Amino acid sequence: MSRLRVGVIGVGHLGNLHAKMYAQIETSELVGVYDVNTERAQSVAAEHGTRAYASVEALLHDVDAVNIATVTSTHHDVAMQAIDQGKHLFIEKPITATIEQGRTIVQRAEAKGLRLQVGHIERFNPAILALEPYRIKPLFIESHRLAQFNPRGSDVAVVLDLMIHDIDLILSLVRSKVVRIDANGIAVVSDSPDIANARLQFENGCVANVTASRISQNKMRKMRLFQTDAYISIDFAQGLAEVFRLVDEQEQSATPTMLLGKIDQGKRKRLIVYEQPEVREGNALKRELEAFVHSVKTGTEPAVTGHDGLQALEVAQEILAMIQSQRITAIE
Ligand code: NAD
């Protein structure tokens, strides 16, 4: 089967890594790169043994699919150009700067029968993949994504830069409608919120308490899920998942289990067990882009669809609007 011809548009920090991956993935061919910064495009092209194109149009002519890793404010315009030329798309997160823009590209891509995947990379974190054998039905979620300050990404609020990773993941785990949002946050070093907290309430009763900061002293990327039969702790930075489960005495587990205790009350006698599901080694970015290539080649639905990207953006924008309305009240 022939390899998917891919071009990377926007080869800054992330686009450079994307280009590197497409050059390595066996099912794709890195045809070339394009960046408004010509020097940058040339140096990245040289690094990965590919061509730097002088225009988006020329690159679009030669590829089956594009990978858009430009600054978020330009995602919409670049994506529309690619869609008009009938090219499949991988777009970095957040899908677009505004909901209206996101809706337009999702609808246009669908109308043209094009595959569109959004770069919510945590779905491919080895710790999340390790939880696949488990029944995930959280009723309370606590998540923390704390980073040290880095000017890159601070052109948008921390909600759109960092919190959106957890929003997408939580929406994919809970699979229920968000019925209420409470949020607060403050701008400390930039003009937009640098630290934010949101409480999402879902139709099925689940509540998620989500915190994101880019002005913390120490990094942390953790999520804790509580459900009626388990407590699951995920450390994205370490790629580690830990599961504390209540199981019937007769249940056999495929995972090595440590017995922590026994519950004798009630009709069912249950054990409390601790498990560390096996984490498969591997690069999350490579897995993410391999999944995109696979989806285009097989015509199957992408692992993270345009609708998923749009839904995460809608929730993020609602959180942001709530924070901003509170800031106006505070000034008054
Ligand atoms: P960056 O500033 O390092 O790179 C952006 C590049 O895009 C620059 O080289 C710039 O010259 C180029 N560019 C800007 N407008 C362009 C246009 N119209 N056409 C072609 N090139 C253009 O930024 P970055 O950190 O690499 O972020 C890029 C995107 O990736 C953003 O949408 C960001 O939100 C996203 N991102 C995602 C993650 C993740 O974990 N998935 C992490 C970081 C950034």
Side-chain angles (χ1 to χ4, degrees):
M1 213 179 184
S2 64
R3 294 194 289 168
L4 186 77
R5 295 172 304 154
V6 186
V8 179
I9 304 178
V11 281
H13 170 74
L14 211 62
N16 178 34
L17 297 174
H18 286 194
K20 181 179 170 187
M21 290 303 147
Y22 287 115
Q24 286 178 10
I25 294 170
E26 282 178 7
T27 47
S28 66
E29 177 193 346
L30 176 65
V31 170
V33 300
Y34 170 75
D35 197 295
V36 283
N37 179 340
T38 315
E39 269 178 40
R40 175 74 186 168
Q42 281 166 352
S43 85
V44 170
E47 190 181 335
H48 306 303
T50 191
R51 177 177 164 193
Y53 280 78
S55 69
V56 178
E57 292 77 12
L59 180 130
L60 288 174
H61 180 266
D62 290 353
V63 298
D64 307 309
V66 286
N67 182 108
I68 301 172
T70 58
V71 287
T72 304
S73 56
T74 63
H75 286 185
H76 169 264
D77 290 358
V78 178
M80 287 304 279
Q81 262 185 290
I83 293 169
D84 284 346
Q85 296 304 313
K87 308 300 172 185
H88 303 282
L89 324 99
F90 178 94
I91 308 180
E92 251 317 323
K93 56 86 335 216
I95 180 168
T96 44
T98 71
I99 295 167
E100 213 38 57
Q101 291 176 341
R103 281 195 189 130
T104 311
I105 61 173
V106 169
Q107 281 164 8
R108 290 274 194 107
E110 239 170 42
K112 284 211 160 200
L114 300 170
R115 303 287 131 200
L116 163 57
Q117 183 171 324
V118 183
H120 286 290
I121 191 169
E122 293 293 33
R123 300 261 204 121
F124 299 87
N125 188 296
I128 286 290
L129 298 178
L131 291 173
E132 266 167 16
Y134 290 88
R135 176 189 156 275
I136 307 287
K137 197 105 184 70
L139 287 175
F140 180 67
I141 301 174
E142 182 85 45
S143 86
H144 287 92
R145 188 171 293 263
L146 314 179
Q148 290 155 332
F149 187 70
N150 180 348
R152 205 165 45 77
S154 64
D155 53 324
V156 293
V158 73
V159 178
L160 290 174
D161 185 30
L162 298 184
M163 189 186 277
I164 199 161
H165 283 292
D166 297 310
I167 294 171
D168 169 69
L169 208 49
I170 289 167
L171 293 177
S172 80
L173 293 172
V174 179
R175 298 185 299 276
S176 176
K177 205 173 137 202
V178 178
V179 288
R180 185 188 161 134
I181 296 177
D182 291 303
N184 51 37
I186 50 170
V188 179
V189 292
S190 72
D191 294 334
S192 56
D194 295 304
I195 179 159
N197 172 265
R199 186 176 189 274
L200 311 179
Q201 208 170 310
F202 291 86
E203 201 168 55
N204 70 357
C206 180
V207 168
N209 187 31
V210 193
T211 302
S213 157
R214 58 178 170 217
I215 47 166
S216 294
Q217 195 179 0
N218 297 313
K219 290 185 200 170
M220 182 193 277
R221 282 160 59 200
K222 282 191 178 172
M223 190 176 282
R224 299 171 180 92
L225 313 177
F226 298 83
Q227 50 192 57
T228 52
D229 60 353
Y231 159 55
I232 299 163
S233 167
I234 304 155
D235 187 325
F236 298 102
Q238 284 192 44
L240 176 71
E242 293 174 288
V243 181
F244 298 78
R245 287 200 301 142
L246 287 176
V247 299
D248 287 334
E249 271 178 309
Q250 303 83 350
E251 190 184 317
Q252 299 290 322
S253 172
T255 312
T257 293
M258 187 193 293
L259 182 62
L260 295 182
K262 195 169 177 180
I263 297 179
D264 276 329
Q265 285 159 354
K267 284 188 197 138
R268 288 157 67 204
K269 307 277 175 272
R270 292 192 292 174
L271 306 174
I272 308 168
V273 298
Y274 169 80
E275 294 163 347
Q276 248 190 48
E278 192 187 337
V279 172
R280 275 187 298 139
E281 285 303 310
N283 180 316
L285 180 60
K286 192 168 182 199
R287 282 212 181 102
E288 176 185 46
L289 301 183
E290 276 171 345
F292 169 61
V293 171
H294 177 78
S295 143
V296 174
K297 283 173 76 75
T298 56
T300 48
E301 183 166 280
V304 185
T305 64
H307 286 282
D308 293 340
L310 190 53
Q311 232 188 334
L313 181 64
E314 282 168 354
V315 172
Q317 293 285 18
E318 202 173 327
I319 291 171
L320 201 52
M322 190 166 282
I323 294 172
Q324 276 159 351
S325 70
Q326 285 161 358
R327 274 170 78 196
I328 292 164
T329 314
I331 292 163
E332 283 168 355

